[in-house]
Amino acid sequence: VIAMGLRPSTAGWAVRSTRALTAAELTATLRTAAAAGLSVETPHDGPSYGRLRASATAAGLLVALGVLAMTVGLIRSETAGDARVLAAVGASSHMRRSMVGVTAAALGFVGGVLGTAGAYAALVAWHHRDLSSLRDVPLTDLAAIVFGLPVLAALGGWLLSGAEPSSTTRSALT
């Protein structure tokens, strides 16, 4: 730097406070600095993404529940003959509902775990040079996805699967 004819000089000072300044203190600091011909820069926290993250989690849960409902519906239509057999041998509606609820919960749990693992694998691949941005893990949202989704799926499957099989005496048309 000196070889090119450049000389170091003081261009500013960095002053840190041990606590956040109140609005009145910040106003007084800005006035004092302006009177001396100086400027004050204060750090601004980035925008809060909490609301966006919660909305995205809720939307993702609704989409996942819709996919689960279609999947469980397909499974139920494929196993309609088995449901008729269960009804014929005396299985209660509670038993049939529980089977649908457990199936939906298992699918929801596996989907939540695989989706979360896939998302974090993509994030690690994207940020592989600097993983510091992945330090703040949204535990509440991840818990809602991994544990809340199966609970909602189980409740929905149990509540919506109470219909008796259409007939236990004739087989389904294939």
Side-chain angles (χ1 to χ4, degrees):
V1 173
I2 295 177
M4 292 190 278
L6 302 174
R7 302 200 185 275
S9 66
T10 303
W13 294 274
V15 178
R16 290 188 175 199
S17 174
T18 57
R19 60 178 175 76
L21 298 177
T22 64
E25 291 172 332
L26 185 58
T27 303
T29 302
L30 290 170
R31 285 187 184 147
T32 304
L38 301 172
S39 64
V40 174
E41 293 181 15
T42 58
H44 296 287
D45 292 335
S48 173
Y49 294 114
R51 192 170 186 185
L52 176 63
R53 184 174 29 226
S55 299
T57 300
L61 284 174
L62 288 175
V63 169
L65 285 172
V67 171
L68 277 171
M70 290 186 285
T71 304
V72 170
L74 285 172
I75 291 171
R76 284 192 71 205
S77 69
E78 289 294 321
T79 60
D82 297 333
R84 282 191 291 278
V85 169
L86 284 173
V89 296
S92 66
S93 65
H94 185 304
M95 175 63 74
R96 292 189 308 274
R97 285 177 177 228
S98 297
M99 288 175 50
V100 172
V102 167
T103 302
L107 288 171
F109 182 73
V110 169
V113 168
L114 289 177
T116 301
Y120 268 94
L123 285 170
V124 167
W126 184 265
H127 296 286
H128 69 278
R129 294 178 197 254
D130 180 24
L131 296 177
S132 64
S133 62
L134 301 178
R135 272 186 271 156
D136 298 327
V137 178
L139 294 176
T140 305
D141 297 309
L142 292 177
I145 292 168
V146 174
F147 300 114
L149 177 62
V151 169
L152 290 174
L155 288 173
W158 193 84
L159 289 173
L160 298 175
S161 65
E164 290 283 332
S166 58
S167 173
T168 56
T169 58
R170 50 191 170 99
S171 62
L173 298 174
T174 55

